[in-house]
Amino acid sequence: MSDRVLSVLVVDDDFMIAKLHGKFIDSQKGYKLAGTAHSFYEAIECIDRLQPDLILLDIYLPDRSGIELLQAIRTQNRRCDVIVITAAKELEIVENGFRFGIIDFLIKPFDLTQLQTPLNKYIQFKSRLSLSSRIDQETVNDFKKLRLSESGSAASPKGIDTRTLEKIKNCMVDGKDSLSADRIAELAGVSLSTTRTYLSHLVKERVLIEEQKYGTVGRPLRLYRIAD
């Protein structure tokens, strides 16, 4: 493997999260933190000045969106790759991310150790690229394996902690009736936002069924039960 150290720019509007992710990058062999940015225009300036190999990009920025930044990177031919790390779950955002050539998409919240998989694959990809003297189909196939996420889609359960998942599933198994996200969060001892993330994952995996209960006023109540 090449001895070259890959530089990473962290772009996140949350200063504490940016610092946390930057510290993690610096702890990884073969990587160094080039810098952090907290807005679209600050990120553009940092990309031009620092020339990072890789960007960890949040979608929610205070001035313009991360997708707009990603589009600017591609249309202006800036030579860097991007891993999106965000709480955004809209299908359109995921689709646009992959359309603009991101190498992975991690949904917050997630265990930082889960960032190691795309980082390991990326450093292998860059090393393999630098050592390749000729291109044939076998070489291209190797690149594809390292470039694409394991599942090949945005539906991979990135950021899903097994223990938390089991807590939520156990609440559902023990309950006889359909439960709201608030009740499940209370039973599992997990925050409501995290619970909703895991419930969405379980519905997508067809472990749970999501139902809507309509009242006389306000939004319908979403209830969850074990799939038949």
Side-chain angles (χ1 to χ4, degrees):
M1 182 175 288
S2 172
D3 292 332
R4 182 189 170 203
V5 176
L6 301 178
S7 62
V8 181
L9 173 67
V10 176
V11 181
D12 199 302
D13 68 325
D14 189 311
F15 283 72
M16 291 302 296
I17 290 178
K19 183 177 180 180
L20 182 66
H21 289 172
K23 185 176 180 180
F24 182 79
I25 289 295
D26 265 339
S27 72
Q28 301 302 299
K29 185 177 181 180
Y31 285 96
K32 67 176 179 180
L33 177 66
T36 57
H38 309 291
S39 69
F40 176 96
Y41 292 104
E42 185 182 5
I44 289 291
E45 186 276 328
C46 286
I47 292 167
D48 291 340
R49 175 169 52 87
L50 301 172
Q51 299 290 306
D53 297 288
L54 181 65
I55 299 173
L56 299 189
L57 175 62
D58 188 21
I59 294 299
Y60 296 127
L61 300 176
D63 43 1
R64 297 173 68 179
S65 77
I67 290 295
E68 290 179 283
L69 177 61
L70 182 56
Q71 184 175 14
I73 290 169
R74 294 294 174 248
T75 57
Q76 297 171 23
N77 200 30
R78 290 177 169 89
R79 296 175 63 85
C80 56
D81 288 298
V82 177
I83 296 175
V84 169
I85 299 178
T86 182
K89 302 179 182 68
E90 292 86 349
L91 183 58
E92 183 180 2
I93 290 176
V94 176
E95 182 180 7
N96 284 334
F98 281 99
R99 179 178 292 124
F100 288 123
I102 65 172
I103 62 176
D104 216 327
F105 197 111
L106 301 182
I107 299 292
K108 297 177 181 177
F110 65 93
D111 189 323
L112 269 177
T113 58
Q114 292 178 296
L115 181 54
Q116 286 179 324
T117 297
L119 290 178
N120 289 341
K121 292 182 74 172
Y122 183 67
I123 202 169
Q124 290 177 55
F125 169 78
K126 295 292 283 186
S127 177
R128 182 80 168 85
L129 194 65
S130 66
L131 296 174
S132 296
S133 57
R134 62 186 179 86
I135 296 295
D136 55 24
Q137 190 60 53
E138 183 179 355
T139 304
V140 171
N141 290 342
D142 286 344
F143 288 157
K144 286 163 63 178
K145 290 177 184 177
L146 294 171
R147 186 73 178 184
L148 299 175
S149 60
E150 291 180 6
S151 67
S153 74
S156 58
K158 302 290 185 182
I160 298 298
D161 176 73
T162 304
R163 289 171 296 182
T164 304
L165 188 64
E166 286 303 313
K167 281 184 181 180
I168 292 174
K169 286 170 66 176
N170 288 339
C171 291
M172 302 305 301
V173 172
D174 293 341
K176 296 180 181 179
D177 301 320
S178 297
L179 300 175
S180 67
D182 301 76
R183 180 56 177 158
I184 295 167
E186 181 183 352
L187 292 171
V190 178
S191 71
L192 181 57
S193 61
T194 298
T195 298
R196 285 174 173 158
T197 297
Y198 282 75
L199 289 173
S200 296
H201 169 71
L202 289 170
V203 169
K204 186 182 298 183
E205 294 296 311
R206 299 182 181 179
V207 176
L208 298 181
I209 293 176
E210 180 182 308
E211 303 169 326
Q212 292 188 341
K213 181 179 180 181
Y214 291 87
T216 55
V217 293
R219 295 181 179 179
L221 178 64
R222 294 184 178 182
L223 299 174
Y224 300 86
R225 64 177 176 84
I226 296 291
D228 297 331

